[in-house]
């Protein structure tokens, strides 16, 4: 299984357009932010004294949103590609079981989806540390850890959800659309539900992600369970489909 | 005789009310090329999908290499290579990278075979190119290389020459025969192309509307068809009258171009010589006298037509 996971990882990384876009767009955003802030600082250091520090690092939320979108796209493609392109049957013909195939790809996807988000995060951290931020609190290790955890969980979980959807609906484009729709629109819809049923809120994915990374007064246990249940439901749907579908 | 490498017994597959495969029984022997010949929609791909465990028969049993494909698919497929419908690859990977990826699924030994297989299918010079840039013929050859990764005892190929140009078909034919004759592998090949089956296969089954109409060796199948003597001479009408009087001639027909089609009973060198003697002695100028068997095409068309009428 390790050889297969390694080979699948190489395959995913060979999609240069997708991977480079997923890495470079967030990196470009960090660079543009830094360039604009530096430009303003150079022109008028009094009015714009701060470039780096904690305020610069707070842009991680933008990186998080973009990385979730790319993670979702990668997950959907990873889930749907083999059926959509007709390669699944040739994998199954090697005798490699559907279950093993499905399970092997989960860590590979997590590595790829999280991996493409990390360069921008690291760049943002470097910028926060080296860019001028006189008077501004510096970035603390605990803050870095908290935001890294948030990024890893958010990107990883949405990528896994997209993977489950991709396997289930077997169409790359459709899977991307549904997974992104769930990510971008579904959250708002679920928030509407919480207006009617407030008790549901801790179980919502975004609430759970916020609770785990940012803290809060709701139950951490519920948040952890929610973070396990949400991707598990979509992965289970995908697995059922993967085991039953004719290649 | 060695155990069959593929054995289908009473395989039936239905889709709703439509019967795609109807009680198919056949065996493929090791080291033989078996053709599964039939018109489009006859059930060829459905059977291949069942053989490979990609679809389940509604009833009947299939064993591959002695293993039941439904119960022990991994063991059955461990040394089986296949191309189903068309070879599909990851277009953004090179030919070599694709094979290396599939080698990881097959097992550690397969990786060592990749360079030799690329060479064998004539793709070593283009192995570094992305598959998206390959022609259909190149993808077919890469498909064979992939099918050979597991050092298979049997290759299952579904319409492998579809879309290939004449050169590609000829190259493919040589490749397949080398797999049978040099390597001793069994090949199960489905096709609607009579010429292809006639040139590649040792045994065949003809299938129509999900049923096997006939099966056996290619030679036996052709021999079971009609035989005749074709005669050309300067006076076909007179020749027809003369030959009708011969006791060894069961029927004579004058074809549109004036050639006589003569059925002999028995058909032997002696009775054929008797026809010639009769015509010469009558003063006719015989310009051609040719014993002829039904071609596979004629045999196939007649069997499919008969099955359709039944």
């Amino acid at each position: 299984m390790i050889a297969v996971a390694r080979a699948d990882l190489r395959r995913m990384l060979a999609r240069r357009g997708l991977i480079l876009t997923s890495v470079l767009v967030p990196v470009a955003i960090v660079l543009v932010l830094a360039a604009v802030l530096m430009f303003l600082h150079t022109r008028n250091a009094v009015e714009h004294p701060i470039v780096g520090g904690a305020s610069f690092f707070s842009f991680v939320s933008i990186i998080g949103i973009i990385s979730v979108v790319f993670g979702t796209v990668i997950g959907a493609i990873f889930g749907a590609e083999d059926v959509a392109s007709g390669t699944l049957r040739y994998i199954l013909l090697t005798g490699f079981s559907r279950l093993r195939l499905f399970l092997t790809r989960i860590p590979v996807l997590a590595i790829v989806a999280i991996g493409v988000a990390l360069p921008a995060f690291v760049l943002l951290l470097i910028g926060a540390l080296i860019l001028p931020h006189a008077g501004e609190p510096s970035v603390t290790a605990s803050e870095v850890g908290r935001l890294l955890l948030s990024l890893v969980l958010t990107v990883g979980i949405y990528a896994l959800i997209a993977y489950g959807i991709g396997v289930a609906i077997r169409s790359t484009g459709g899977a991307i659309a549904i997974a992104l729709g769930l990510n971008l629109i579904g959250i708002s819809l679920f928030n509407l539900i919480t207006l009617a049923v407030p008790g549901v809120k801790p179980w919502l994915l975004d609430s759970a992600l916020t609770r785990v990374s940012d803290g809060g007064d709701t139950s951490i246990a519920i948040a952890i369970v929610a973070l396990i249940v949400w991707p598990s439901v979509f992965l289970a749907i995908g697995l059922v489909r993967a085991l039953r579908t004719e290649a | 005789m060695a155990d069959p490498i593929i054995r289908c017994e009473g395989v039936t597959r239905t889709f709703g009310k439509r019967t795609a495969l109807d009680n198919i029984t056949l065996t493929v022997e090791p080291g033989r090329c078996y053709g599964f010949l039939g018109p489009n929609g006859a059930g060829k791909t459905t059977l291949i999908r069942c053989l490979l465990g990609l679809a389940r028969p509604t009833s009947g049993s299939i064993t591959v290499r002695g293993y039941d494909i439904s119960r022990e698919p991994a063991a059955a497929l461990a040394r089986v290579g296949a191309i189903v419908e068309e070879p599909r690859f990851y277009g953004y990977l090179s030919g070599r990278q694709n094979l290396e990826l599939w080698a990881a699924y097959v097992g550690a030994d397969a990786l060592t075979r990749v360079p030799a297989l690329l060479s064998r299918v004539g793709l070593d010079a283009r192995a570094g190119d992305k598959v998206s840039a390959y022609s259909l013929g190149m993808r077919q050859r890469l498909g064979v290389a992939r099918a050979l990764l597991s050092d298979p005892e049997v290759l299952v190929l579904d319409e492998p020459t579809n879309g290939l140009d004449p050169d590609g078909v000829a190259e493919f034919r040589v490749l397949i025969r080398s797999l049978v004759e040099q390597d001793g592998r069994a090949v199960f090949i489905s096709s609607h192309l009579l010429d292809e089956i006639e040139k590649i296969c040792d045994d065949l089954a003809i299938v129509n509307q999900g049923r096997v109409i006939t099966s056996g060796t290619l030679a036996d199948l052709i021999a079971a068809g009609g035989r005749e003597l074709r005669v050309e001479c300067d006076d076909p009408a007179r020749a027809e009258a003369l030959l009708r009087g011969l006791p060894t001639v069961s029927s004579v027909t004058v074809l549109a171009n004036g050639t006589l089609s003569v059925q002999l009973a028995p058909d032997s060198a002696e009775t054929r010589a008797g026809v010639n003697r009769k015509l010469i002695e009558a003063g006719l100028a015989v310009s051609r006298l040719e014993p002829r068997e039904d071609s596979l095409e004629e045999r196939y068309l007649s069997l499919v037509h008969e099955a359709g009428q039944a």
Side-chain angles (χ1 to χ4, degrees), chain A residues 155-224:
Chain A
V155 172
I157 287 173
Y158 274 107
L160 292 180
I161 288 173
Y163 173 65
I165 293 171
V167 175
I169 76 162
R170 312 193 301 171
S171 154
T172 307
I176 291 171
I178 291 175
L180 281 179
L182 181 76
N183 180 5
L184 301 174
I185 302 166
I187 293 164
S188 306
L189 292 176
F190 285 128
N191 281 334
L192 286 177
I193 294 170
T194 63
L195 294 177
V197 192
V200 173
K201 188 159 182 160
W203 292 96
L204 296 186
L205 183 53
D206 271 33
S207 304
L209 282 165
T210 306
R211 173 67 186 86
V212 168
S213 57
D214 293 351
D217 52 7
T218 54
S219 162
I220 184 73
I222 288 178
I224 290 170

Side-chain angles (χ1 to χ4, degrees), chain B residues 104-144:
Chain B
Y105 287 108
V106 172
D109 291 350
L111 195 59
T112 62
R113 282 194 277 273
V114 169
L117 289 175
L118 284 166
S119 176
R120 176 154 195 187
V121 298
L123 282 176
D124 33 2
R126 299 284 306 273
D129 294 358
K130 284 187 177 176
V131 168
S132 56
Y134 280 16
S135 67
L136 178 60
M138 291 166 72
R139 273 186 277 136
Q140 288 283 18
R141 283 186 277 151
L142 189 63
V144 172

Side-chain angles (χ1 to χ4, degrees), chain A:
Chain A
M1 271 176 98
I2 289 170
V4 169
R6 202 183 301 129
D8 242 353
L9 181 61
R10 275 202 302 272
R11 173 175 72 82
M12 279 305 284
L13 296 178
R15 294 188 74 118
R16 294 220 177 96
L18 176 67
I19 298 300
L20 283 178
T21 306
S22 306
V23 170
L24 293 181
V25 168
V27 163
I29 288 170
V30 173
L31 291 175
V32 168
L33 284 170
V36 169
L37 291 172
M38 274 304 291
F39 174 74
L40 294 172
H41 178 76
T42 310
R43 282 189 65 185
N44 189 342
V46 177
E47 203 173 315
H48 303 284
I50 301 163
V51 179
S55 61
F56 186 73
F57 199 52
S58 67
F59 288 124
V60 76
S61 59
I62 298 174
I63 303 304
I65 292 167
I66 293 165
S67 297
V68 164
V69 170
F70 283 117
T72 301
V73 171
I74 291 170
I77 289 174
F78 207 43
E81 182 183 25
D82 278 313
V83 174
S85 67
T87 44
L88 176 64
R89 73 180 59 141
Y90 291 104
I91 296 172
L92 299 180
L93 288 175
T94 63
F96 203 78
S97 77
R98 292 164 189 258
L99 178 64
R100 287 175 72 199
L101 183 65
F102 185 86
L103 295 177
T104 303
R105 288 181 162 180
I106 289 174
V108 175
L109 170 63
I111 289 168
V112 174
I114 294 167
V116 296
L118 289 181
F121 182 87
V122 170
L123 194 62
L124 198 68
L125 177 60
I126 292 169
L129 294 174
I130 66 170
L131 292 174
H133 54 281
E136 167 82 357
S138 196
V139 180
T140 63
S142 67
E143 182 73 352
V144 172
R146 185 180 66 78
L147 292 174
L148 181 61
L149 176 67
S150 172
L151 183 74
V152 165
L153 284 177
T154 310
V155 172
I157 287 173
Y158 274 107
L160 292 180
I161 288 173
Y163 173 65
I165 293 171
V167 175
I169 76 162
R170 312 193 301 171
S171 154
T172 307
I176 291 171
I178 291 175
L180 281 179
L182 181 76
N183 180 5
L184 301 174
I185 302 166
I187 293 164
S188 306
L189 292 176
F190 285 128
N191 281 334
L192 286 177
I193 294 170
T194 63
L195 294 177
V197 192
V200 173
K201 188 159 182 160
W203 292 96
L204 296 186
L205 183 53
D206 271 33
S207 304
L209 282 165
T210 306
R211 173 67 186 86
V212 168
S213 57
D214 293 351
D217 52 7
T218 54
S219 162
I220 184 73
I222 288 178
I224 290 170
V225 171
L227 292 186
I228 294 168
V229 167
W230 272 92
S232 298
V233 166
F234 287 92
L235 289 174
I237 293 168
L239 179 59
V240 169
R241 183 75 160 161
L243 294 177
R244 290 186 176 178
T245 191
E246 287 195 353

